[in-house]
Amino acid sequence: MPPPGRRRLGFFAALFYLSLLFVSTASGASAVLGIDLGTEYFKAALVKPGIPLEIVLTKDSKRKESAAIAFKPSTGEYPERLYGGDAIALSARFPYDVYPNLKTLLGLSSRNQTSVDYSSLHPDLQISDGKARRTVEFKSRGFDKGEEPFSVEELLAMQLQNIKSNAEAFAGKGSTVRDVVITLPSFYTAEEKRAVELASDLAGLKVLSLISDGLAVGLNYATSRTFTSLNEGGKPEYHLVYDMGAGSTTATVLRFQGRTVKDVGRFNKTIQEVQVIGSSWDRALGGDALNALVLDDMISKFAGMNRIKSLGVESKHIKQHGKTMAKLWKEAERMRQVLSANSETSSSFEGLYYEDVNFKYKLTRSDFEKLAATYAERVGRPIVDALASANLKLSDLESIILHGGAVRTPFVQRELESAAGGSDKIRTNVNSDEAAVFGAAFKAAGISPSFRVKDIRAGESAGYAIGVNWASEGKQRQQKLFLPTSQLGADKSLPFKLTEDFIFELYQLVPVGEGLEPSNNPVLRVQTENLTASVGELVNTFGCTTANISTKFSIRLSATNGLPEVAQGSVSCEVTGSDKKGGVVDDVKGFFGFGSKKGDQVLMQDEETEEPEIVGISSSSASSSSSESGISSSSKSAPTKGSDKSKDAKRVEIIPIQFLSEAAGSPQITPAELRRVKDRLDALDASDRSRVLREEAFNTLESFTYRVRDMVSEENFVIVSTEKERSAIEESGKSTSEWLYGEGSAASRDMIKSKLQDLRDLVNPIQKRKDETKKRPEEIRLLQEALEQTRTLIGVVKGEAEKASSAAAAASSESQVSSSQTTTSALPDVDDFADLDDEPYSSTVSSANPQKPQMPMYSPEDLATLTTAYESVQSWLDRKLTEQAKLSAVEDPAILSSDLAAKSRELNEVVMNMLRKTVKLPPKAKSTAKSKSSSSKSSKKTKATKTSTSKSTTNASEQPPTGTPAQSSATGNHVELDGNTVVQKQDPIALSSYQQSLDTGLTPPTLTTHTVRYWSDFNRLYFHPRSIVQLNDYALNSSLMPFEKWEFGEDLFSSLDKEHDLLDRDFRPWAEECDQMQGIQIFTGVDDAWGGFAARYVERLRDEYGKGTIWVWGIEENERGPKHKQTLRLTNSVRSMHDIPAHASMYIPVQSLPLHLPRYVALDRTSQWHTSALISGAIESTSLQSRLKPEGNGRAKLDEIETILNSNGNQRVAGLQCSFLDPQVSNTHSQVANKKGRNDNRMRHAHGETSLRQEVTGEMNVECETFDIDFFPGDGQATLAYPGKLAQKSHIFGQVESFRGQSQQNYEEAKETEDDSVARKRMKLAGLPASKRYHYTLPFPLLDSFPKIFEEWSNLKDSVIVCSSLSTSTKVARRIRGLQKLAGRVIGIEEQEALSNGLGELAEEYEEGWSSGSDADSDD
């Protein structure tokens, strides 16, 4: 029986879940996008592994994009497409090809009043109705006259494509963005929603869901809040989201509540719910309507000028002039926004309508409010109507949340306060510009299987009532199905008393005006296809009558777009007879022999038993909207015992109905038209790409001409070039520059590339000499090191061979002596057991039999391979160096750095293969003949004892066994033996006295740096056999092949993962043991090859656990050594800093030995036992809260800590600081401090500044006055030369502090301080960073294995107080900037740019919004 909580899956269930696995794996690789589809602006937010929730910036680095597209005349095949602000800037020059604010025209005809108003604002646009779909289309003047007009959906698709490309660029190289959630106003009809879906499809986006603006804001509001659970007696909260944007105003009533539901296994969890329970709107009230008031006043006053009157120009003429209207509209919007903060504003125009006409316009806020008097009366109406639809009163609301740019208008705010009965309920606690897009992105992440988000269940309402009409008995009948407040996903059964194929239509009841009947807008047309035939089947086969036949359809509201859809249909009647049914699963079971055993026995008794006749009809729909019926048809069963009783049983016979559903209302786009539109979009994309590539080529050639001009005067360039070469380059650069600004301005991309190549052909040979001169010495040094390593290994192999030869000679001599002393019997002994195999783990050794020598580690062929490789490379190097020495600096080099690198790799590969070599013994062979020796039976048998080679890397003190067998032949790694074999085992490392005492239960002796050789000497843990994984590819502390280079770690992980799948072998078994895995913590070195290994391991973990919390503690050695060794370590740190934070949710670099230590710490800097003890105290205390029991006070999960530190969403690198205190000294200090008062001392942070928290609150921490140990590494430059640069003032973005070991009195005082609401408010007003402080009475225990590094505290017993901190601050930026500079100096050119740019972007996350003023780091 399966264990509780686990059930076995059937065959089809397993197949189903396997298919889901492939689907989720494919979709999980992509990012998801949330788009706020505003009237005037578009905003997008991206969610991607490594990018939790971030606004997608435009190409101009703006957080929102103007909702406009323009076609600019161009010399190419098609006009150039411009988006956003670039398009708006062309409105005065090309008013006939700039298309702003298209959202209001979706799904409308040109005769609609909204379309008419749009046309009056943009008179130069050629608007018409489409021939087939009868919706708005635009004819562009920038294209040929024969070009088809552009539909609104096509133009919107271009803008969505632009957003998609921006998101993919923001996500990083190789990223794809396809899945999207789009916000829409709650009043959008089926026509408008389908138009948005069509535009998204044309743009290559898959709509996961359409969400109303109000619900999106509500989701964003709920992400940072927790509501009481209804199961625990909590009550729901009601809030109203009032959203006034550029085009419309909506009011949405939301219900927020918590609920406890069943979780995985035996656990429960509390989820948050956000539901729309009422909404209302004003389609024509928004920022554009207010702009139109200012525009009309401008036109009126401009037309009233004497100069204009004398020209016979009236207002209607001005409104028909495209350029004039574009200029006035732009200024009207600007003035309206200025009046929100100022009492008056003015604007002036030159050459308005006529070139010599100037116009000045002034407007005060009071005059503007007079113009908007009628609109002010409409501001509060949506609130009243929304409350009425939700059956709530104003007093039931907790707050009215404001959203949208137009809510900043002063008279709008006054009217809202009036409607709300005061300002108490008005809230601006969400980002009025970005809350909706963040909510949409959160919704997208929640739908996607690749992300783990807070469990918030969102419930959308229908918005409009849904009804159905059909014809019956010559009459048209109607029935209402859903209310405007019905929740999406709701399902209703719709019965019909019809027995012949018919048509029914679903429609929306859309209000058309106050006091008027709502319009029935068709949504879906459904036609049955087999109803008549199915009814005949029921009548003829089962004897049903038409009177008791029931026809039903299941109608539901789509959770994706809120439109009604038909889930399934069926016709049924009640019949009398056997109720045995054979479904699809039963049929398949029978096919495979898994049916009922009893039934099988009955059937087998009668050989002539007929197969059961299946009379039920299983069918599917003819369209994508058809039913996927899960109803199985009935069948006649063979007569069995007791069938007489079943004959009278009643059952319902059901036959699924096939139906065809199609969208009703405006005609949908045909497949041919859809293909034509997509082809045109592809052609426009190709034209834009070609234009961009040409511009890039032009810019590249232009910059290269400037570079050439400077290059010919550079000292290093002059050294490796002749005067003739420089003159040719200078002349070519000058002529190319002149051509570029003449004929080149209209030249093709191929011509530009040809000019660039001609110039490069002159420069590249000299540049190559220059680069080789710089690189060659380092590559020669590396190759010489590789040669020296190979030479050393040759000496080792020769020594092994000599030892093996000596051992063979000695063995041969002993064998001759032994054979001379051996007597044989005349008659051979008969061994009855000679043909039997010996036990594999038993051994019988005769004392007379001489001991065989050991097997060799290396063969003569190995020595020959090493010697050949060494001599070949050494002779090649000597020859090339001689040739190079004969050449001058202006001649092409005889030896290239790439050739030197290749030779180094060749040698390293030979050495690596040799070091990885293992001896493989042949399988044990059976004895084929009985021994003729007269010695004892035990000596007759030839034993082949099983041997095994360890996968572990030997310890620094261990050496592999050496020796060679007598009379053996070796080929490669295989050794054939002709004598007895023995297993040679190296003596294990003796246990330290400390470990021996632990094993025997005695009091262990005091450990010292002399008695601690390895980490196992002070280990007190028992390890599971699978918890330590051994690697054998590199030797520990090897001088031949040190594990130092970052790429070695990458290669090692790749090879091991390809062979074993490391996650399956080493990690997943442990992860599956966790019921609720908090996260993964990795401790690794990052400044050697382990950094590369860890980076790839973390990347694999992120792919496998896309939603998981992954912390990496990266240890960096900072001990002094040769400069090239320090540079190598820093280079490895550069790569680790670039790669690990991209996949880890938190990366904490930790230097093994802080640069500055307080006086109370006395440790041996050369002892890793001492330095690791200091680190362990800090890390163990910092993460203590994550290991407490769930019911304990002060517990916090890793992701909760991460949220505080990563407050800005992209700050995943933190620093570690700590302090240690003597409990006795701390208690004395606390008493003195309490007597003096809390304002006398202030805690100083690791960066040296007084805590801003305490400056505001007057609070003093009685345990720690300073974090005096800083484990965060210094910047890459300062570490080598300027340690003093590290002590700079830093700004903290997020901080988590842990204080453990304080007295109960201080603990209570700390809790009182944290609960002080007044102090909290003062901190908020002061703009303090996100922070959290944890207090624990549990001190840090000092076991007898902990070194005595606190010798100053003579009375210290078994514990110590630890104050620790994790923080994100501007100090991280300084570290990354230092590494970025280092990357520019020591990293190869091929990866220098990517590393430098990546580090620069990472550093920017710790610099935005903060300047340290005079304390800023200087460059000198």
Side-chain angles (χ1 to χ4, degrees):
M1 178 178 179
R6 299 182 182 178
R7 297 183 180 181
R8 294 188 178 95
L9 294 176
F11 172 78
F12 290 101
L15 185 62
F16 171 75
Y17 285 115
L18 184 61
S19 66
L20 284 186
L21 174 63
F22 292 126
V23 172
S24 63
T25 302
S27 62
S30 300
V32 294
L33 193 64
I35 297 179
D36 181 10
L37 202 66
T39 302
E40 186 177 9
Y41 292 102
F42 292 162
K43 292 173 281 288
L46 181 73
V47 181
K48 177 184 179 290
I51 303 178
L53 190 62
E54 190 66 43
I55 289 289
V56 175
L57 302 180
T58 69
K59 291 181 174 63
D60 300 326
S61 298
K62 295 180 180 178
R63 297 178 71 85
K64 58 184 179 181
E65 185 91 272
S66 295
I69 182 174
F71 295 119
K72 181 182 178 182
S74 174
T75 57
E77 182 180 359
Y78 293 104
E80 180 181 0
R81 292 183 296 179
L82 299 176
Y83 302 94
D86 294 338
I88 294 296
L90 295 178
S91 59
R93 293 176 56 197
F94 307 105
Y96 49 82
D97 254 343
V98 178
Y99 308 91
N101 302 5
L102 295 173
K103 174 184 173 182
T104 57
L105 302 178
L106 287 169
L108 304 181
S109 70
S110 63
R111 298 180 301 277
N112 187 283
Q113 185 58 45
T114 302
S115 302
V116 173
D117 294 340
Y118 185 89
S119 181
S120 66
L121 287 175
H122 310 284
D124 278 1
L125 295 179
Q126 299 181 23
I127 300 179
S128 61
D129 281 339
K131 297 178 181 178
R133 302 181 59 221
R134 301 192 301 274
T135 55
V136 171
E137 291 185 345
F138 294 93
K139 182 69 174 178
S140 171
R141 297 186 192 177
F143 291 81
D144 296 337
K145 292 184 178 180
E147 189 71 31
E148 292 289 333
F150 291 87
S151 66
V152 177
E153 293 85 350
E154 189 174 357
L155 293 174
L156 180 60
M158 297 179 194
Q159 298 178 69
L160 292 176
Q161 278 182 328
N162 180 56
I163 294 175
K164 181 176 182 289
S165 64
N166 289 342
E168 290 174 343
F170 184 78
K173 186 177 180 180
S175 299
T176 58
V177 178
R178 176 168 170 78
D179 299 333
V180 64
V181 169
I182 301 177
T183 69
L184 297 176
S186 54
F187 55 76
Y188 258 30
T189 63
E191 298 285 354
E192 293 164 305
K193 289 182 177 180
R194 285 172 178 159
V196 172
E197 290 179 320
L198 174 58
S200 301
D201 179 59
L202 293 174
L205 293 172
K206 176 187 176 184
V207 178
L208 299 177
S209 176
L210 300 178
I211 184 174
S212 67
D213 296 321
L215 180 58
V217 175
L219 270 176
N220 178 251
Y221 180 81
T223 54
S224 58
R225 292 165 177 82
T226 301
F227 305 97
T228 56
S229 174
L230 300 180
N231 307 73
E232 299 173 359
K235 294 183 179 180
E237 295 183 13
Y238 299 98
H239 299 263
L240 185 144
V241 176
Y242 188 89
D243 184 6
M244 180 182 282
S248 59
T249 298
T250 61
T252 307
V253 180
L254 301 173
R255 177 170 58 210
F256 297 85
Q257 60 192 22
R259 187 184 300 277
T260 302
V261 297
K262 192 176 186 306
D263 198 3
V264 179
R266 298 168 293 173
F267 300 95
N268 294 330
K269 65 177 180 179
T270 300
I271 64 170
Q272 306 298 303
E273 293 180 336
V274 184
Q275 297 174 344
V276 177
I277 61 173
S279 60
S280 183
W281 55 80
D282 189 331
R283 275 180 172 262
L285 178 62
D288 283 354
L290 302 180
N291 296 341
L293 295 175
V294 180
L295 176 67
D296 290 340
D297 190 54
M298 280 183 171
I299 294 174
S300 176
K301 291 183 177 180
F302 180 62
M305 292 176 58
N306 293 331
R307 172 67 171 148
I308 295 300
K309 287 181 179 180
S310 65
L311 295 173
V313 178
E314 299 178 1
S315 296
K316 62 180 182 180
H317 300 130
I318 298 172
K319 291 181 179 180
Q320 294 171 1
H321 194 265
K323 292 186 177 181
T324 301
M325 289 295 290
K327 292 179 181 179
L328 292 176
W329 177 260
K330 185 176 181 180
E331 278 301 299
E333 180 182 2
R334 185 192 66 81
M335 295 180 72
R336 194 262 303 173
Q337 293 174 351
V338 170
L339 288 176
S340 297
N342 298 275
S343 59
E344 65 177 38
T345 184
S346 62
S347 183
S348 61
F349 303 86
E350 295 182 359
L352 189 63
Y353 197 80
Y354 285 108
E355 292 184 1
D356 59 344
V357 175
N358 298 330
F359 173 56
K360 291 184 178 181
Y361 177 74
K362 181 180 180 180
L363 183 65
T364 64
R365 182 187 292 177
S366 59
D367 291 337
F368 170 65
E369 292 178 352
K370 290 178 182 178
L371 294 173
T374 56
Y375 287 88
E377 300 172 357
R378 296 161 54 182
V379 170
R381 192 72 210 167
I383 297 177
V384 176
D385 294 341
L387 289 173
S389 67
N391 294 322
L392 294 177
K393 297 180 292 185
L394 183 63
S395 58
D396 295 327
L397 293 179
E398 297 286 337
S399 69
I400 297 176
I401 302 170
L402 302 185
H403 188 262
V407 296
R408 302 185 183 97
T409 308
F411 82 83
V412 172
Q413 294 182 349
R414 289 198 302 270
E415 292 297 326
L416 287 174
E417 291 179 1
S418 176
S423 61
D424 293 340
K425 291 184 180 294
I426 304 296
R427 296 286 185 273
T428 56
N429 45 10
V430 299
N431 187 325
S432 61
D433 289 324
E434 299 175 353
V437 70
F438 280 133
F442 182 87
K443 173 85 170 177
I447 296 175
S448 171
S450 300
F451 303 97
R452 180 191 65 182
V453 297
K454 184 178 180 180
D455 199 345
I456 303 177
R457 312 282 173 88
E460 185 77 86
S461 66
Y464 294 107
I466 304 295
V468 60
N469 61 47
W470 73 98
S472 177
E473 299 177 355
K475 297 181 180 179
Q476 200 68 23
R477 303 182 183 277
Q478 290 185 347
Q479 181 178 337
K480 186 176 290 187
L481 292 178
F482 298 100
L483 298 174
T485 55
S486 297
Q487 296 292 300
L488 301 192
D491 195 315
K492 284 197 175 181
S493 179
L494 180 62
F496 292 95
K497 280 295 182 180
L498 296 173
T499 56
E500 295 182 354
D501 288 316
F502 70 104
I503 297 173
F504 65 91
E505 194 173 70
L506 300 172
Y507 59 86
Q508 286 180 328
L509 280 78
V510 180
V512 294
E514 191 172 352
L516 300 176
E517 289 292 327
S519 172
N520 294 350
N521 291 2
V523 176
L524 193 68
R525 186 177 181 271
V526 182
Q527 180 176 359
T528 64
E529 295 184 330
N530 69 330
L531 178 59
T532 303
S534 299
V535 170
E537 182 74 17
L538 291 175
V539 171
N540 298 330
T541 304
F542 299 99
C544 299
T545 62
T546 57
N548 68 349
I549 292 178
S550 174
T551 303
K552 292 182 181 180
F553 282 88
S554 177
I555 314 296
R556 67 177 172 223
L557 294 175
S558 170
T560 301
N561 57 16
L563 301 182
E565 59 185 8
V566 180
Q568 64 181 10
S570 65
V571 58
S572 62
C573 74
E574 189 178 77
V575 298
T576 302
S578 173
D579 59 352
K580 183 177 180 181
K581 300 181 181 180
V584 176
V585 176
D586 295 329
D587 295 340
V588 175
K589 284 183 177 180
F591 179 80
F592 286 103
F594 296 131
S596 169
K597 299 295 182 183
K598 199 170 185 179
D600 291 345
Q601 292 172 359
V602 173
L603 289 174
M604 290 182 65
Q605 290 173 2
D606 186 1
E607 295 181 357
E608 298 181 358
T609 301
E610 298 179 355
E611 294 183 2
E613 180 184 359
I614 300 177
V615 298
I617 301 174
S618 177
S619 60
S620 61
S621 171
S623 71
S624 60
S625 302
S626 61
S627 164
E628 296 179 4
S629 175
I631 306 173
S632 60
S633 57
S634 66
S635 63
K636 296 179 181 179
S637 60
T640 58
K641 294 180 180 181
S643 62
D644 294 338
K645 184 177 180 181
S646 65
K647 288 182 180 179
D648 297 331
K650 292 185 177 180
R651 74 182 193 281
V652 176
E653 191 68 30
I654 302 173
I655 300 178
I657 296 178
Q658 292 183 357
F659 57 89
L660 179 66
S661 61
E662 59 182 3
S666 298
Q668 301 302 299
I669 188 169
T670 63
E673 179 70 8
L674 182 63
R675 184 69 265 161
R676 182 192 67 80
V677 172
K678 287 188 175 182
D679 289 343
R680 180 161 66 175
L681 289 174
D682 291 341
L684 288 170
D685 290 340
S687 177
D688 288 344
R689 282 195 298 270
S690 177
R691 185 179 299 104
V692 170
L693 291 175
R694 186 215 172 262
E695 291 174 354
E696 288 179 354
F698 186 92
N699 294 335
T700 301
L701 179 56
E702 184 181 34
S703 63
F704 196 70
T705 57
Y706 286 112
R707 183 183 171 192
V708 165
R709 186 181 61 187
D710 298 335
M711 189 182 296
V712 293
S713 60
E714 290 180 0
E715 180 181 357
N716 293 335
F717 193 86
V718 172
I719 293 174
V720 296
S721 62
T722 64
E723 181 64 31
K724 182 179 178 181
E725 289 173 328
R726 292 195 297 274
S727 299
I729 292 173
E730 191 171 7
E731 180 63 28
S732 179
K734 183 178 179 181
S735 61
T736 302
S737 181
E738 292 175 354
W739 175 87
L740 198 60
Y741 300 112
E743 300 176 10
S745 59
S748 66
R749 178 182 171 225
D750 291 338
M751 179 61 71
I752 295 173
K753 290 177 66 177
S754 176
K755 289 286 185 180
L756 178 61
Q757 188 59 45
D758 292 342
L759 196 55
R760 280 179 171 169
D761 288 342
L762 296 175
V763 174
N764 285 347
I766 305 174
Q767 184 64 37
K768 184 177 181 180
R769 292 177 214 154
K770 177 184 172 183
D771 294 339
E772 289 297 325
T773 302
K774 179 180 179 181
K775 294 179 182 178
R776 193 184 307 117
E778 177 64 16
E779 292 297 337
I780 291 175
R781 184 186 67 80
L782 293 175
L783 180 55
Q784 289 173 341
E785 286 184 358
L787 284 168
E788 179 62 24
Q789 291 176 356
T790 308
R791 190 179 65 81
T792 304
L793 184 58
I794 289 174
V796 172
V797 173
K798 284 183 177 179
E800 295 291 331
E802 293 173 358
K803 292 179 182 178
S805 177
S806 301
S812 177
S813 175
E814 292 179 6
S815 177
Q816 293 176 0
V817 174
S818 175
S819 60
S820 64
Q821 296 175 352
T822 303
T823 59
T824 59
S825 175
L827 295 175
D829 294 337
V830 178
D831 186 358
D832 295 334
F833 302 97
D835 292 333
L836 299 180
D837 290 341
D838 294 326
E839 295 182 14
Y841 299 109
S842 65
S843 62
T844 308
V845 180
S846 173
S847 59
N849 202 24
Q851 182 172 345
K852 296 295 182 181
Q854 302 169 350
M855 295 183 301
M857 174 176 288
Y858 303 109
S859 66
E861 286 80 3
D862 296 333
L863 179 60
T865 300
L866 276 175
T867 305
T868 301
Y870 173 79
E871 292 175 351
S872 172
V873 175
Q874 183 67 63
S875 62
W876 176 86
L877 180 60
D878 293 340
R879 185 177 69 256
K880 288 295 183 180
L881 289 178
T882 303
E883 294 175 2
Q884 183 63 40
K886 298 177 181 179
L887 300 177
S888 65
V890 297
E891 294 180 282
D892 291 337
I895 181 171
L896 301 178
S897 59
S898 58
D899 296 337
L900 291 166
K903 292 295 182 180
S904 296
R905 287 193 299 270
E906 178 184 334
L907 279 179
N908 288 335
E909 185 176 353
V910 172
V911 172
M912 278 295 300
N913 291 336
M914 205 63 59
L915 292 176
R916 291 174 179 173
K917 181 179 177 63
T918 56
V919 178
K920 297 181 180 179
L921 296 180
K924 181 184 71 175
K926 286 187 177 181
S927 176
T928 57
K930 297 180 181 179
S931 173
K932 295 182 180 180
S933 172
S934 60
S935 59
S936 63
K937 291 181 180 180
S938 61
S939 65
K940 294 176 187 177
K941 298 177 183 179
T942 300
K943 297 275 306 170
T945 307
K946 288 188 176 180
T947 62
S948 62
T949 57
S950 173
K951 293 185 178 180
S952 64
T953 301
T954 59
N955 199 292
S957 63
E958 298 176 1
Q959 295 295 334
T962 59
T964 181
Q967 300 178 355
S968 66
S969 62
T971 303
N973 288 338
H974 298 277
V975 181
E976 297 180 1
L977 306 176
D978 58 357
N980 292 342
T981 62
V982 294
V983 178
Q984 292 292 326
K985 293 184 178 180
Q986 183 180 1
D987 293 335
I989 299 174
L991 287 178
S992 65
S993 57
Y994 182 84
Q995 291 294 330
Q996 293 176 9
S997 300
L998 291 179
D999 291 343
T1000 57
L1002 301 176
T1003 301
T1006 302
L1007 290 170
T1008 67
T1009 54
H1010 300 290
T1011 58
V1012 172
R1013 303 161 297 171
Y1014 320 108
W1015 64 269
S1016 57
D1017 287 340
F1018 58 88
N1019 171 59
R1020 296 178 62 93
L1021 300 177
Y1022 291 100
F1023 289 96
H1024 189 280
R1026 295 183 62 184
S1027 64
I1028 297 181
V1029 181
Q1030 303 169 356
L1031 305 178
N1032 68 333
D1033 295 73
Y1034 287 85
L1036 182 65
N1037 299 328
S1038 170
S1039 59
L1040 290 176
M1041 203 64 182
F1043 198 50
E1044 291 179 346
K1045 292 188 177 182
W1046 205 81
E1047 53 269 24
F1048 287 179
E1050 280 190 304
D1051 295 341
L1052 178 60
F1053 177 85
S1054 299
S1055 61
L1056 292 176
D1057 193 50
K1058 185 181 297 184
E1059 182 179 357
H1060 303 291
D1061 192 338
L1062 295 183
L1063 260 63
D1064 273 343
R1065 188 191 73 177
D1066 303 333
F1067 183 80
R1068 191 170 286 108
W1070 304 110
E1072 290 175 352
E1073 293 295 324
C1074 300
D1075 292 330
Q1076 292 179 325
M1077 187 168 67
Q1078 238 190 89
I1080 304 166
Q1081 293 194 76
I1082 298 173
F1083 298 80
T1084 178
V1086 292
D1087 58 354
D1088 54 12
W1090 285 114
F1093 191 93
R1096 299 290 75 82
Y1097 207 110
V1098 173
E1099 184 178 11
R1100 275 280 277 122
L1101 285 172
R1102 178 57 67 200
D1103 291 341
E1104 187 73 17
Y1105 301 93
K1107 302 180 179 181
T1109 298
I1110 303 176
W1111 282 27
V1112 178
W1113 302 82
I1115 312 299
E1116 299 184 21
E1117 297 289 341
N1118 59 336
E1119 61 183 13
R1120 293 290 179 179
K1123 187 173 182 179
H1124 73 276
K1125 292 284 187 182
Q1126 293 188 64
T1127 302
L1128 177 60
R1129 287 203 304 266
L1130 285 171
T1131 303
N1132 295 331
S1133 298
V1134 168
R1135 291 189 168 95
S1136 297
M1137 181 64 78
H1138 179 270
D1139 279 38
I1140 294 179
H1143 304 288
S1145 51
M1146 189 57 60
Y1147 175 53
I1148 305 102
V1150 177
Q1151 58 182 346
S1152 60
L1153 185 62
L1155 293 178
H1156 306 286
L1157 290 175
R1159 289 184 303 173
Y1160 60 80
V1161 176
L1163 52 76
D1164 184 349
R1165 293 175 176 267
T1166 63
S1167 170
Q1168 292 186 345
W1169 176 43
H1170 278 203
T1171 56
S1172 63
L1174 197 66
I1175 296 174
S1176 67
I1179 294 180
E1180 200 273 346
S1181 300
T1182 301
S1183 57
L1184 175 63
Q1185 54 268 31
S1186 67
R1187 299 190 303 278
L1188 298 179
K1189 293 182 178 180
E1191 63 274 9
N1193 293 327
R1195 183 178 188 266
K1197 296 182 179 179
L1198 291 177
D1199 58 349
E1200 296 173 1
I1201 301 173
E1202 181 183 306
T1203 301
I1204 300 172
L1205 296 174
N1206 190 7
S1207 58
N1208 292 346
N1210 234 2
Q1211 297 173 333
R1212 298 184 294 276
V1213 181
L1216 173 67
Q1217 302 88 29
C1218 80
S1219 288
F1220 295 88
L1221 292 177
D1222 185 349
Q1224 297 181 1
V1225 175
S1226 177
N1227 291 334
T1228 304
H1229 169 73
S1230 299
Q1231 296 172 5
V1232 175
N1234 289 333
K1235 292 178 181 180
K1236 292 183 178 180
R1238 291 201 167 194
N1239 291 325
D1240 289 343
N1241 288 311
R1242 296 177 178 174
M1243 185 181 79
R1244 295 180 60 82
H1245 286 237
H1247 319 301
E1249 75 273 15
T1250 303
S1251 170
L1252 182 57
R1253 174 203 299 268
Q1254 295 157 354
E1255 292 180 4
V1256 175
T1257 63
E1259 166 192 347
M1260 188 202 74
N1261 185 278
V1262 296
E1263 304 87 357
C1264 272
E1265 293 183 0
T1266 178
F1267 290 131
D1268 46 24
I1269 303 177
D1270 189 0
F1271 290 96
F1272 192 78
D1275 67 77
Q1277 305 296 313
T1279 303
L1280 290 176
Y1282 306 108
K1285 291 176 63 176
L1286 301 181
Q1288 295 184 41
K1289 184 176 181 180
S1290 299
H1291 174 70
I1292 298 176
F1293 299 102
Q1295 186 172 32
V1296 174
E1297 301 170 340
S1298 301
F1299 302 103
R1300 59 182 301 181
Q1302 58 188 357
S1303 65
Q1304 186 67 28
Q1305 175 187 358
N1306 295 338
Y1307 178 63
E1308 297 297 332
E1309 290 175 355
K1311 288 200 296 186
E1312 291 175 5
T1313 301
E1314 290 175 351
D1315 296 337
D1316 189 354
S1317 60
V1318 176
R1320 239 185 262 173
K1321 289 181 179 179
R1322 293 172 62 192
M1323 289 162 58
K1324 184 176 180 180
L1325 291 174
L1328 285 174
S1331 64
K1332 181 67 176 178
R1333 179 174 291 183
Y1334 298 93
H1335 296 262
Y1336 311 100
T1337 57
L1338 177 68
F1340 179 73
L1342 297 179
L1343 304 178
D1344 52 24
S1345 59
F1346 198 88
K1348 307 298 182 182
I1349 59 176
F1350 304 121
E1351 294 181 355
E1352 184 176 305
W1353 302 331
S1354 56
N1355 296 326
L1356 193 64
K1357 295 183 179 179
D1358 56 356
S1359 65
V1360 66
I1361 292 176
V1362 182
C1363 312
S1364 61
S1365 166
L1366 277 179
S1367 62
T1368 52
S1369 68
T1370 51
K1371 185 174 65 172
V1372 175
R1374 292 200 295 271
R1375 164 68 172 172
I1376 299 174
R1377 289 297 185 194
L1379 295 176
Q1380 185 184 17
K1381 293 179 183 178
L1382 185 70
R1385 291 194 295 108
V1386 300
I1387 303 294
I1389 298 177
E1390 60 277 1
E1391 57 178 332
Q1392 182 183 108
E1393 182 177 359
L1395 282 174
S1396 182
N1397 292 342
L1399 292 173
E1401 293 175 2
L1402 186 61
E1404 288 175 359
E1405 299 298 332
Y1406 299 86
E1407 295 173 344
E1408 289 186 3
W1410 170 256
S1411 174
S1412 56
S1414 59
D1415 294 323
D1417 190 11
S1418 60
D1419 295 331
D1420 49 26

